Amino acid sequence: AILRRHTRDHPDDPRWWYYLGDTLANLKQPEEAVVAFERCVALDGWDEEAGWAAYRMGRLLGDDLERWDAAEAACARG
């Protein structure tokens, strides 16, 4: 709840989108985690953070959601 509120109040801060994606992935909510990681990648933050968000998104898309083309594209972005 805290991360959702913080990302709502600070939608342009990629760091918190990464943390939200990480939390949602750990809570076994891959669809929502992908959305949060995508937001992190799309914002202008640290390259390393965006890269890791893309790789995490790729793993979720492939392993959890079996969307292999999207997983490959996410990894390529990373």
Side-chain angles (χ1 to χ4, degrees), residues 16 20 25-26 30 36-37 43 45 50-51 63 75 78:
W16 299 103
L20 179 59
N26 288 331
F37 284 136
L43 293 170
D63 292 344
C75 288

Side-chain angles (χ1 to χ4, degrees), residues 33-51:
V34 166
V35 171
F37 284 136
E38 176 60 41
R39 181 78 175 147
C40 176
V41 171
L43 293 170
D44 187 25
W46 292 355
D47 291 340
E48 295 85 354
E49 186 173 66

